[in-house]
Amino acid sequence: MTVDGEVRRLGGEADEPGWEVDPDDEWGVAVITTVGRQLRLRREAVGMRAAEFAVAVGYGEDLVYKVEGGKRIPRQEYLDKADEVLGAGGLVAAAWEDVKRVRYPKRVRELGKLEGKAVELALYECHIVPGLLQTPEHARSVIGAAQPPYSPDDVERMVAARLARQSVFERSPAPALSFVLEEGVLRRPIGGRMVWRQQLERLLEVGRLHNVVLQVMPMDCDTHSGLDGRIELLKFPDGTAVGRSDGAFNGRPVHELKHLRILELRYGTIRAQALSPRESLAFVEQLLGET
């Protein structure tokens, strides 16, 4: 792409690139406010007005004020371009190391931290393929189907956040991961045929990992203990655990041993009712052959 083409691309995103700052995210607000203040001070130090700086970096003046005022989270390319225009020698671009830690919503960061610490993760999902197993294209289709619809920018932010959580598969030592998915979910080609083929291939790839157990709950099962909805259990090295279920304890996270035992009982029963891991992978292979 030519330089002019790149400027036009940036200009097309000028109104709303980057992401809104969650006012309830105190740490995120502090980081983005500090970065924005440093950008403003550097711009003023070289004698550039906001309008001039906006033209130089290829973004809108309104966005410049929002970033400098700590109202929007800048993308990496914005900081890189600002560093170049301001002659900051990499200091502005380096702010991305701080920004990237808060670029995802607070609740996603907190979930990612828990998953990153867990030595065991067990998840029964009844309506969708779990986010930890989704391909980028499938995640984009799932999130993009929401009503009311998210903006394209918010969709991309949420997809990136979902994919970032998948670093759990790269951990060493590897945690023990268990997933139970519904057959009906695996028969719904969200995103179209090619996207769905890639998703099924991803399930097979993950399901064959030595630390992963993937099972399918068949539709012809006449007993089903997961009708109350999603169940998630996380266990940590110190022996503590946290669990959550859509149909129990009002869907809130629970730590009490008696509540965790109930969720463990339900999850264990669901696993017993589902196809075995070997049968489940064979079933996914069969579906892939049918697409």
Side-chain angles (χ1 to χ4, degrees), residues 182-201:
E182 286 287 341
E183 176 184 341
V185 170
L186 300 183
R187 291 189 177 279
R188 185 175 296 118
I190 300 296
R193 180 181 177 186
M194 291 309 299
V195 168
W196 193 237
R197 282 189 60 86
Q198 292 172 356
Q199 181 60 66
L200 293 176
E201 289 170 351

Side-chain angles (χ1 to χ4, degrees), residues 87-108:
L91 294 178
V92 168
W96 176 247
E97 291 302 312
D98 295 317
V99 172
K100 72 180 182 180
R101 294 187 177 93
V102 299
R103 69 192 189 278
Y104 303 135
K106 181 179 178 181
R107 61 180 178 81
V108 176

Side-chain angles (χ1 to χ4, degrees), residues 193 197 200 204 282-291:
R193 180 181 177 186
R197 282 189 60 86
L200 293 176
L204 289 174
F283 179 76
V284 176
E285 288 179 335
Q286 176 186 331
L287 289 179
L288 183 59
E290 295 173 357
T291 59

Side-chain angles (χ1 to χ4, degrees), residues 74-121:
R75 290 184 176 179
Q76 185 173 13
E77 57 264 31
Y78 181 96
L79 295 174
D80 288 344
K81 189 65 177 179
D83 189 279
E84 177 185 339
V85 169
L86 297 174
L91 294 178
V92 168
W96 176 247
E97 291 302 312
D98 295 317
V99 172
K100 72 180 182 180
R101 294 187 177 93
V102 299
R103 69 192 189 278
Y104 303 135
K106 181 179 178 181
R107 61 180 178 81
V108 176
R109 296 202 311 268
E110 292 175 345
L111 177 58
K113 284 182 180 180
L114 290 175
E115 291 172 343
K117 295 176 182 177
V119 294
E120 293 183 40
L121 184 153

Side-chain angles (χ1 to χ4, degrees), residues 252-268:
R252 61 180 175 80
V254 295
H255 303 82
E256 299 88 346
L257 185 58
K258 63 179 181 179
H259 293 160
L260 290 170
R261 284 177 173 168
I262 292 174
L263 296 184
E264 288 177 340
L265 173 62
R266 292 184 181 179
Y267 186 76

